[in-house]
Amino acid sequence: MEKRISLNGVWHFRESNASEWYEGEVPGCVQLDLIRLGKIEDPYYRMNEIKFHKLEEKEWVYKKEFDFNAKDKNEYDAIKLVFEGIDTFADIYLNGIHLGKVQNMFIPYEFDIKDIVKDGNNVLEVHFDSITKTIKAMEQTSPVKLEWSGESGRPYVRKAQYSYGWDWGPRIVQVGLWRGAYLSLVKYAEIKNPYFYTEKIEQNKAYVVISAEIEGYIVQDFEAEIEIIHNDISYGKKRVKVQKNRIKTTMLIENPKLWYPNGIGEQPLYDIRIRLLAGEEIIDEKSFRSGIRTVKLVREKDEEGETFIFEINGIKVFAKGANWIPADNLLPRLTKEDYYEYIRLAKDANMNMLRIWGGGIYEDPAFYDACDEMGIMVWQDFTYACAEYPDQFEWFQKLAKEEAEKVILSLRNHPSIVLWCGNNENNWGFHSWWDNGDPKYLGNYIYKEILPKVCAKLDPSRPYWVSSPYGGEDPNSETEGDRHQWNVWSGWVDYEEYTKDKGRFLSEFGFQSMPDWKTVLSYTSPEDRTILSPVMISHNKMVEGMERLVRFMVGHLGFPKDLKSFVYLSQFNQAEAIKTGVEHWRSRKFKTAGTLYWQLNDCWPVASWSSLDYYKRKKALYYYSKRFYAEILPHIKEEGDGITIYGISDLLEDKEAKVVIKVFKLDGKKIAEKQLETRLIANDVTKIAHYKFDELNIGYSVKEMPIAIPGCTLPVEQNKELLESVVYVEIIADDKTYENYKVFDKFRDLDVVKPKINYEIKEDKIILTTDVPAFGVFIETENDIDLSDNCLNMMPGKEYEVSFSNKPKGIKAFDITQLIADI
Ligand code: BMA
């Protein structure tokens, strides 16, 4: 039986060459302790980040004194000191005795202290080296040069790679005991590394495998009793013998309740209780939660190449979601509630998958718990990103192996995790960016040898994938594997390009926007509030990030009136861009089998590709995600001499639906309306109807423009009537309405009419109407409240309802025409 004594809470710390001690906190880090003490300012305000850079040179000591009772020492067979996370290079001392050196922030460390811990007062010290100095020294003495982006020394340290700065994040090199610490006291024996997974599901039977290791300190014949419980009902109980310090058995569960991703089923979770018994005496007991489901990555040859489809319980699932980055640069301040809120937001946006990106961390347990509970599948990268890694060194190989083992052992019971992935973009780098020199492909031994072996051994329940992107001759190919579509945005290409992309699974693609206006106010002082001020630029970490925001805004919408207009227009542009990509790829279901846009969240207040800003304020893209990721999505496509309407359905049953098609002139006049009944095919794309333009009363007249000359930028002759029209489609199924709209050119080239937007508050809702088609209608409130919807595209004759978390004060509603400068 294990007893734990927490060592969390108040510690003391000092700079290693100073004598004065200050109060610090564990879990925590030096940076947070210094902020709390008022010794350094908030790094996220203006350019305070710079003040944190000089901390990188320093070394620190953290100290905790604790009382220990001699009785415990005699009673327990093992006494261990456990750190759940140490960031990063540190020496541990107990009562002046050196316990060891640590060098990996991602794994727990455990020390046997039975012979060192004393009766009464004990002094525990953790001496932190300067991470930056250490990695610089490693780099200088290394016989090989590594390819990298950002800080050149970062591949040498097993520390979250983004902490050295990224194209959306500041450089803040966290140091400290970022996760908890405790004493573990064990009597007789302990159950270790319990594991539960589904081997197969046949009709109404699930075969599940349960295993565990027994760390024993006495010689005894143990047995284990395993019980599987759901909602207080036992689904099976079994006794097995412990053999060679291990148990492993298969159990049959009749009528299992299966775990499904959000949108296609429930997320029942089972409690698995393992009791270690000597006769009838309980020696140890461990309980944990898991789910029953199978996962397969379906890779089958087809006419376009090879599929890349996640199949859960034998059902093909189109992955809808985003990439996840660490939600702060100072990680210990994130709470369980924060994680639950983020996952709730992902679920509410109709997502079913998040990819934990390899430049971040293996997340907090609360993250995975929330994903288990809410049906968010997790694509888990190992934490290697955008660099070569020094795998020519044996010590590095050992670190990689140990890390993989510990991470897999701690996470493998989460049904939400559906994939282990070797790294982010390193194999793409080998192929396309880096001059690999000699030795070549540094890091590949980890992704192709170490990780697949450890995964196969410790977790046969889910697939392993070498990298993201990966598959095919070119790891970023459109015909196989997953793909990062960065021609758009990073390659300065505009977002229409998405509609030509035949990627099989889009694990990254993105488009930047500014954060919420209130967030912009929070990190600037009045003199910073211009688009190109140094503070504004420093809160967009991408080289030429602001330039791209301007370029694509001008390309689609025109010039913003002022900074605030720039903020809103950038969000509208981003939302339209990602909508374009997602709709196209969903319409290729299952030729394309997933879209994970870059990125769900931010780690500080910044202009980035996110849909939620650092304060979890929703950007336009977040509201759009709810719509373009809905289980039914109307898709309007210009084809031949008209439009085709498709219904994309993720439902597992065919669905009878009503379809309403309306065509408006931009001045508000309705020129056509059609209604029809349709049957949407389950988990597929249904072609609902095709209309020629003249059937929709969209005639043909030439917009008077000069005819384009090759190589010249003059606008092309176009159908004026089409440019004056907007097609609006509703699919109504089970009393829910799914809507979409289409205009036929870039907004800046259309004669969008300034709308009269009326709004009133009725009970707990804002009700909005418009006289003419209105695009990108933002509701802004003086107070900081949560709205159920925003950035609306409104048609005349319809009421739009938006509910709120708190009564809105000082409401304003405006559309894009009011944000674009008349210049
Ligand atoms: C991809 C990611 C990140 C990066 C993002 C935006 O390359 O893997 O490295 O932040 O694009 O540029």
Side-chain angles (χ1 to χ4, degrees):
M1 195 66 85
E2 190 203 13
K3 170 168 133 180
R4 288 186 182 185
I5 301 171
S6 171
L7 297 175
N8 291 346
V10 178
W11 284 52
H12 286 86
F13 78 105
R14 61 171 168 85
E15 239 188 280
S16 68
N17 56 9
S19 53
E20 200 176 343
W21 290 93
Y22 296 99
E23 221 173 79
E25 225 176 61
V26 171
C29 64
V30 169
Q31 286 82 355
L32 283 174
D33 286 338
L34 293 173
I35 295 171
R36 198 177 307 109
L37 291 167
K39 298 205 164 291
I40 196 160
E41 286 166 278
D42 170 13
Y44 298 167
Y45 183 62
R46 304 194 75 212
M47 291 203 273
N48 282 350
E49 171 198 347
I50 297 164
K51 300 179 183 152
F52 282 69
H53 296 164
K54 64 175 187 298
L55 295 178
E56 287 181 30
E57 301 294 310
K58 298 183 189 287
E59 285 150 12
W60 306 90
V61 181
Y62 271 73
K63 180 174 83 172
K64 173 92 178 171
E65 298 194 28
F66 62 92
D67 274 339
F68 194 78
N69 193 331
K71 225 177 84 217
D72 277 345
K73 191 162 173 169
N74 300 331
E75 195 182 329
Y76 287 93
D77 298 297
I79 300 170
K80 289 177 268 186
L81 167 66
V82 182
F83 292 97
E84 293 171 311
I86 305 176
D87 193 3
T88 304
F89 299 112
D91 287 280
I92 320 291
Y93 297 88
L94 181 61
N95 301 327
I97 296 170
H98 188 229
L99 300 181
K101 211 173 174 58
V102 299
Q103 52 180 334
N104 189 336
M105 121 185 224
F106 301 119
I107 57 173
Y109 282 96
E110 196 176 284
F111 302 95
D112 175 2
I113 55 163
K114 184 142 168 67
D115 297 331
I116 301 169
V117 71
K118 301 187 299 199
D119 188 20
N121 187 49
N122 286 267
V123 184
L124 174 61
E125 283 194 355
V126 183
H127 293 222
F128 289 96
D129 295 340
S130 151
I131 306 167
T132 302
K133 278 195 201 159
T134 310
I135 61 176
K136 291 272 186 221
M138 285 171 159
E139 196 192 351
Q140 270 158 24
T141 54
S142 172
V144 295
K145 194 187 141 287
L146 302 174
E147 296 281 355
W148 49 273
S149 68
E151 162 60 55
S152 58
R154 71 171 169 81
Y156 290 91
V157 58
R158 297 309 298 138
K159 170 175 180 59
Q161 300 283 282
Y162 82 108
S163 62
Y164 274 98
W166 216 265
D167 56 5
W168 34 260
R171 176 174 174 137
I172 298 179
V173 183
Q174 170 185 290
V175 178
L177 296 170
W178 72 295
R179 285 180 168 166
Y182 62 89
L183 300 178
S184 163
L185 286 62
V186 182
K187 197 167 172 171
Y188 303 145
E190 192 191 354
I191 301 164
K192 290 268 208 184
N193 305 324
Y195 183 31
F196 172 95
Y197 74 92
T198 312
E199 195 172 52
K200 59 179 177 188
I201 300 166
E202 280 171 356
Q203 277 108 26
N204 284 333
K205 294 180 173 35
Y207 296 85
V208 296
V209 180
I210 301 102
S211 66
E213 284 141 41
I214 311 298
E215 204 168 273
Y217 302 98
I218 49 167
V219 182
Q220 177 103 32
D221 277 341
F222 290 124
E223 283 192 319
E225 181 195 83
I226 302 157
E227 187 164 13
I228 299 171
I229 303 154
H230 174 66
N231 279 348
D232 295 329
I233 297 165
S234 177
Y235 276 72
K237 197 170 182 175
K238 194 170 182 182
R239 257 194 190 220
V240 292
K241 278 217 157 323
V242 176
Q243 282 172 328
K244 292 189 182 150
N245 294 326
R246 241 179 102 71
I247 55 162
K248 186 174 181 188
T249 189
T250 302
M251 286 171 75
L252 168 67
I253 299 183
E254 303 274 0
N255 300 317
K257 297 194 181 342
L258 304 186
W259 186 96
Y260 283 99
N262 177 34
I264 63 168
E266 307 273 296
Q267 292 81 42
L269 296 170
Y270 285 78
D271 289 309
I272 295 99
R273 194 187 65 198
I274 305 180
R275 278 186 173 154
L276 184 67
L277 302 169
E280 288 313 303
E281 190 190 348
I282 301 172
I283 301 295
D284 194 16
E285 179 171 325
K286 287 259 153 84
S287 287
F288 62 100
R289 236 172 36 161
S290 194
I292 300 177
R293 60 109 186 88
T294 56
V295 50
K296 194 175 156 201
L297 186 56
V298 182
R299 292 169 52 214
E300 283 166 359
K301 296 279 171 234
D302 66 6
E303 65 279 16
E304 289 190 10
E306 192 180 275
T307 63
F308 192 92
I309 307 169
F310 284 92
E311 203 178 79
I312 307 294
N313 304 331
I315 296 167
K316 290 189 170 59
V317 180
F318 189 100
K320 299 180 288 190
N323 283 268
W324 169 266
I325 61 166
D328 207 316
N329 266 76
L330 300 169
L331 290 161
R333 66 176 155 189
L334 290 165
T335 62
K336 183 174 169 182
E337 289 69 36
D338 286 322
Y339 283 110
Y340 268 78
E341 207 177 324
Y342 277 116
I343 303 306
R344 160 77 49 205
L345 284 161
K347 179 186 158 90
D348 288 350
N350 294 316
M351 294 185 180
N352 62 18
M353 186 183 276
L354 292 175
R355 168 173 173 246
I356 300 186
W357 166 77
I361 57 171
Y362 307 102
E363 271 300 342
D364 191 271
F367 181 99
Y368 304 99
D369 286 344
C371 289
D372 289 349
E373 288 170 31
M374 297 188 229
I376 303 297
M377 295 182 281
V378 177
W379 168 313
Q380 177 73 57
D381 280 2
F382 285 94
T383 51
Y384 305 89
C386 301
E388 289 191 307
Y389 284 85
D391 67 354
Q392 80 278 19
F393 296 125
E394 230 170 87
W395 63 266
F396 200 83
Q397 291 178 13
K398 264 178 71 185
L399 267 181
K401 181 162 180 275
E402 182 189 22
E403 175 182 314
E405 286 168 352
K406 293 204 167 157
V407 166
I408 293 168
L409 290 176
S410 75
L411 296 180
R412 63 186 176 173
N413 290 318
H414 290 284
S416 54
I417 300 178
V418 294
L419 187 80
W420 297 114
C421 171
N423 68 76
N424 175 71
E425 294 187 347
N426 297 347
N427 294 70
W428 187 15
F430 295 147
H431 178 270
S432 307
W433 317 327
W434 298 327
D435 163 16
N436 289 291
D438 197 24
K440 263 191 178 17
Y441 309 141
L442 288 168
N444 228 10
Y445 183 74
I446 299 171
Y447 326 131
K448 292 206 166 163
E449 291 290 328
I450 297 175
L451 298 178
K453 280 196 188 130
V454 178
C455 286
K457 182 164 170 243
L458 297 179
D459 187 17
S461 76
R462 44 177 75 80
Y464 171 79
W465 188 241
V466 172
S467 181
S468 181
Y470 195 71
E473 262 298 291
D474 174 353
N476 202 28
S477 94
E478 282 182 55
T479 54
E480 286 179 45
D482 67 319
R483 172 166 166 78
H484 293 187
Q485 193 349 325
W486 282 115
N487 302 341
V488 174
W489 187 267
S490 298
W492 285 95
V493 176
D494 207 347
Y495 67 73
E496 289 84 2
E497 177 85 0
Y498 287 145
T499 61
K500 297 183 202 135
D501 192 293
K502 292 186 168 175
R504 311 310 303 263
F505 188 106
L506 277 296
S507 44
E508 279 188 21
F509 59 105
F511 207 91
Q512 278 196 352
S513 70
M514 294 292 285
D516 188 272
W517 175 243
K518 292 186 173 69
T519 301
V520 174
L521 296 180
S522 79
Y523 63 78
T524 51
S525 75
E527 68 269 32
D528 306 324
R529 291 177 192 147
T530 54
I531 296 173
L532 298 178
S533 73
V535 167
M536 210 60 80
I537 288 179
S538 78
H539 284 251
N540 184 336
K541 293 291 183 187
M542 187 190 199
V543 175
E544 298 181 345
M546 294 310 254
E547 286 86 335
R548 282 175 177 78
L549 280 173
V550 172
R551 180 259 173 266
F552 293 117
M553 186 178 295
V554 172
H556 283 272
L557 304 168
F559 292 95
K561 270 187 180 158
D562 49 22
L563 178 67
K564 191 168 168 184
S565 306
F566 179 71
V567 166
Y568 284 109
L569 288 175
S570 75
Q571 289 194 16
F572 176 68
N573 219 25
Q574 176 194 35
E576 284 286 322
I578 301 303
K579 170 181 188 283
T580 304
V582 169
E583 268 184 43
H584 161 68
W585 287 308
R586 282 191 71 184
S587 77
R588 282 173 43 80
K589 189 178 186 177
F590 281 98
K591 291 276 178 251
T592 298
T595 49
L596 307 178
Y597 64 71
W598 186 265
Q599 68 209 63
L600 180 74
N601 60 319
D602 279 332
C603 62
W604 77 313
V606 65
S608 81
W609 299 260
S610 70
S611 57
L612 294 169
D613 77 18
Y614 174 67
Y615 297 105
K616 303 191 194 80
R617 294 189 177 119
K618 298 164 177 172
K619 300 192 194 179
L621 174 58
Y622 179 83
Y623 300 105
Y624 266 52
S625 305
K626 263 192 189 177
R627 297 173 218 155
F628 62 57
Y629 278 153
E631 64 271 34
I632 293 175
L633 175 67
H635 177 52
I636 311 162
K637 202 170 170 189
E638 194 177 340
E639 277 177 342
D641 54 356
I643 52 156
T644 313
I645 293 157
Y646 295 91
I648 302 163
S649 171
D650 293 340
L651 300 174
L652 300 182
E653 287 170 358
D654 287 1
K655 185 65 61 190
E656 302 297 332
K658 194 174 138 186
V659 185
V660 181
I661 299 128
K662 291 179 186 167
V663 184
F664 294 96
K665 288 270 178 194
L666 290 173
D667 66 8
K669 193 168 150 223
K670 186 163 81 182
I671 56 169
E673 175 159 350
K674 309 265 178 199
Q675 293 207 6
L676 50 106
E677 305 284 328
T678 194
R679 187 181 178 86
L680 300 172
I681 307 164
N683 213 7
D684 208 337
V685 181
T686 307
K687 182 172 172 178
I688 297 174
H690 177 83
Y691 297 104
K692 291 189 172 164
F693 288 128
D694 55 12
E695 286 178 80
L696 297 172
N697 300 331
I698 301 170
Y700 186 81
S701 63
V702 175
K703 178 148 181 159
E704 284 181 27
M705 289 175 172
I707 304 292
I709 303 162
C712 162
T713 59
L714 288 175
V716 191
E717 174 190 324
Q718 292 194 63
N719 178 0
K720 181 165 177 276
E721 291 201 29
L722 187 59
L723 298 185
E724 286 166 352
S725 308
V726 47
V727 176
Y728 172 73
V729 174
E730 284 177 339
I731 297 183
I732 302 140
D734 289 344
D735 294 333
K736 272 180 90 174
T737 303
Y738 306 88
E739 52 169 32
N740 209 341
Y741 81 96
K742 183 165 178 63
V743 289
F744 294 86
D745 206 345
K746 296 174 174 173
F747 283 100
R748 68 161 202 203
D749 297 331
L750 302 175
D751 295 322
V752 181
V753 177
K754 186 173 172 186
K756 267 195 216 74
I757 294 161
N758 285 314
Y759 58 84
E760 53 174 329
I761 297 181
K762 267 196 201 151
E763 287 160 29
D764 58 347
K765 289 194 174 64
I766 310 172
I767 314 283
L768 298 103
T769 54
T770 180
D771 57 341
V772 297
F775 303 95
V777 178
F778 284 97
I779 305 160
E780 190 191 74
T781 60
E782 240 166 62
N783 48 345
D784 197 4
I785 60 170
D786 188 41
L787 298 174
S788 63
D789 207 351
N790 212 337
C791 193
L792 305 161
N793 297 305
M794 298 171 61
M795 298 301 136
K798 194 176 152 91
E799 287 195 341
Y800 292 81
E801 289 187 1
V802 174
S803 44
F804 43 76
S805 58
N806 292 90
K807 205 162 172 65
K809 284 193 199 122
I811 302 184
K812 282 187 199 138
F814 41 82
D815 76 319
I816 54 170
T817 62
Q818 293 165 67
L819 304 171
I820 298 167
D822 196 9
I823 50 171

